[in-house]
Amino acid sequence: MHRRSFHAAALTAMFGPAAAATAAFPAPAGWVGAAWRGGQAVVVACYEWFMSLHQPPHAGTGEEGAQEPAPRGQLSGLLDQLEGALDAVNFWRVPEKKETMWRNIRATLVRARLNVQEIATWRGLVKALRGE
């Protein structure tokens, strides 16, 4: 066994995998530096997650026109098709709740700012669920 792998195995046994990772990627810092790098990694990961929540869903994908939402008529057609499919399977078991539930579903799809391809995918999904 090489000295480095033995060292990493011993660190893992004594202090857990973080210690072995620090040993595998040595840097001119002691344990305080390793903890600081771990803290920085958490901060960067949280920042990236936060930024992904506040960017359009297609930003940077390179798809032509991906950031442009579909025309209102296409979204309206999808919503009509979806509502008809939900009516057909008696999704609205409590008629008094239909208006609120449908408003929530509609708001979710409108807020998503679906593009033309996504509308087509949703329409295909609804059509497949109806068995057409």
Side-chain angles (χ1 to χ4, degrees):
M1 180 180 275
H2 291 101
R3 181 183 171 127
R4 176 171 227 116
S5 62
F6 175 78
H7 181 68
L11 282 173
T12 301
M14 292 183 348
F15 301 109
T22 303
F25 303 103
W31 283 100
V32 173
W36 177 246
R37 286 191 308 272
Q40 286 175 319
V42 170
V43 168
V44 170
C46 290
Y47 171 78
E48 290 296 331
W49 179 49
F50 174 80
M51 292 305 292
S52 72
L53 294 174
H54 298 336
Q55 290 179 349
H58 305 290
T61 61
E63 295 178 28
E64 190 65 33
Q67 293 185 11
E68 298 175 17
R72 201 88 161 133
Q74 288 187 4
L75 180 59
S76 179
L78 167 64
L79 293 171
D80 291 343
Q81 181 185 10
L82 181 59
E83 185 175 18
L86 293 173
D87 285 338
V89 296
N90 192 26
F91 179 77
W92 323 108
R93 291 186 180 93
V94 180
E96 297 80 31
K97 291 185 177 184
K98 177 184 178 180
E99 184 179 338
T100 303
M101 291 171 66
W102 180 241
R103 187 180 327 121
N104 291 337
I105 293 168
R106 188 176 56 236
T108 301
L109 290 174
V110 168
R111 192 173 28 242
R113 299 185 52 168
L114 301 174
N115 64 32
V116 174
Q117 178 60 49
E118 292 167 332
I119 295 273
T121 301
W122 271 94
R123 284 182 156 255
L125 182 139
V126 172
K127 188 175 178 181
L129 289 174
R130 289 184 83 173
E132 296 174 358

